Amino acid sequence: MTSASESQTLSKPAPRFASIGSPYFGIMLACMAVVLILSNIGAAKGVVFGPIITDGGFFLFPLAYILGDVMSEIYGFKVARKAIITSFALSAFASLCYWIIIVLPGFSDDYGTAKQAAIEGALGPVPLIVLGSLLAFFAGQTINSWILVKMKARTGERTLWARLMGSSGLGEFVDTLIFCSIAASVIGITDFGSFLNYLLTGFLYKTGVQYILVPVTSLVIGWIKKREPSYWA
């Protein structure tokens, strides 16, 4: 004989997820990889807005988390994890390409020497930025996706806004802490006060953007759900 709580657990329907046979997943995966690669290049530049310290990739990176939320909600944790690993691998490949471009012998005239110095200055720090970004992205996105899917298992299709907001905070904090700890010295941050500024600015900005865009993210998720045949199968 089962208890009332066990009966509720047994009767609770499994959360819905779509297969990846449609083109929507591939488009989102490509966008996530491009956003991650571009944000890694931008993050090599320190940026100052009055008392606020950040980096040149600040306006791009929240988009990767929003795409991660959309994929986790529609396709589930396993598929989202594949997207995270794929983006991780492509970003590492991009970093390898930057290194090869830098070490290739260039022209020895004044123009070639100046261009070599400019490329080294722009792309030289990127491998270290990529290292921080990859570790941070993998840890933060995995936590974000796992929390969202676990919440969906409890609530089903209801309270999407709560899943989007609830999963963002911890994932973004872990991501920002790991990334800033590695990237700070690369972009010239050497004292603790500036590091704390960089860390808090990054965390509050990324989380704030995700929270502000929850209505838009919810609309996108709803739009794709309606057009994913396998989601309602």
Side-chain angles (χ1 to χ4, degrees):
M1 185 174 179
T2 59
S3 65
S5 60
E6 289 174 333
S7 298
Q8 290 177 355
T9 301
L10 292 173
S11 63
K12 182 186 296 183
R16 292 179 182 272
F17 295 111
S19 65
I20 57 176
S22 75
Y24 298 110
F25 174 75
I27 293 170
M28 287 187 285
L29 173 58
C31 290
M32 176 184 279
V34 169
V35 166
L36 182 61
I37 290 170
L38 290 177
S39 65
N40 287 338
I41 297 173
K45 176 181 177 177
V47 174
V48 178
F49 295 104
I52 297 173
I53 298 174
T54 183
D55 58 61
F58 79 94
F59 65 97
L60 279 168
F61 197 74
L63 298 177
Y65 265 79
I66 291 171
L67 287 165
D69 283 343
V70 174
M71 285 189 280
S72 299
E73 171 68 21
I74 296 173
Y75 301 102
F77 178 70
K78 290 183 179 180
V79 172
R81 185 173 58 187
K82 289 180 181 179
I84 294 167
I85 293 172
T86 302
S87 299
F88 184 105
L90 290 172
S91 189
F93 175 70
S95 182
L96 174 63
C97 291
Y98 303 149
W99 176 79
I100 293 173
I101 291 168
I102 289 172
V103 301
L104 287 172
F107 294 163
S108 57
D109 59 2
D110 291 344
Y111 179 73
T113 302
K115 179 170 283 189
Q116 176 68 21
I119 290 175
E120 289 179 2
L123 297 181
V126 171
L128 288 174
I129 295 291
V130 169
L131 173 63
S133 175
L134 292 183
L135 294 175
F137 181 74
F138 184 79
Q141 273 283 13
T142 300
I143 291 171
N144 180 72
S145 178
W146 184 83
I147 292 174
L148 189 148
V149 172
K150 285 293 183 183
M151 291 179 69
K152 185 173 182 178
R154 297 176 65 89
T155 62
E157 294 296 314
R158 297 177 291 109
T159 60
L160 172 59
W161 63 271
R163 294 197 292 280
L164 294 175
M165 298 183 74
S167 63
S168 298
L170 182 58
E172 284 288 13
F173 180 76
V174 171
D175 181 293
T176 307
L177 178 62
I178 295 174
F179 177 74
C180 290
S181 298
I182 296 174
S185 61
V186 179
I187 65 174
I189 295 174
T190 56
D191 62 278
F192 181 73
S194 296
F195 170 76
L196 191 61
N197 185 326
Y198 184 39
L199 173 65
L200 292 177
T201 297
F203 170 67
L204 293 174
Y205 169 76
K206 293 173 186 176
T207 306
V209 168
Q210 284 190 260
Y211 284 178
I212 290 170
L213 292 179
V214 160
V216 178
T217 306
S218 300
L219 288 173
V220 171
I221 288 172
W223 188 89
I224 296 175
K225 281 180 178 179
K226 290 179 181 178
R227 287 158 178 80
E228 272 287 11
S230 60
Y231 190 84
W232 303 105

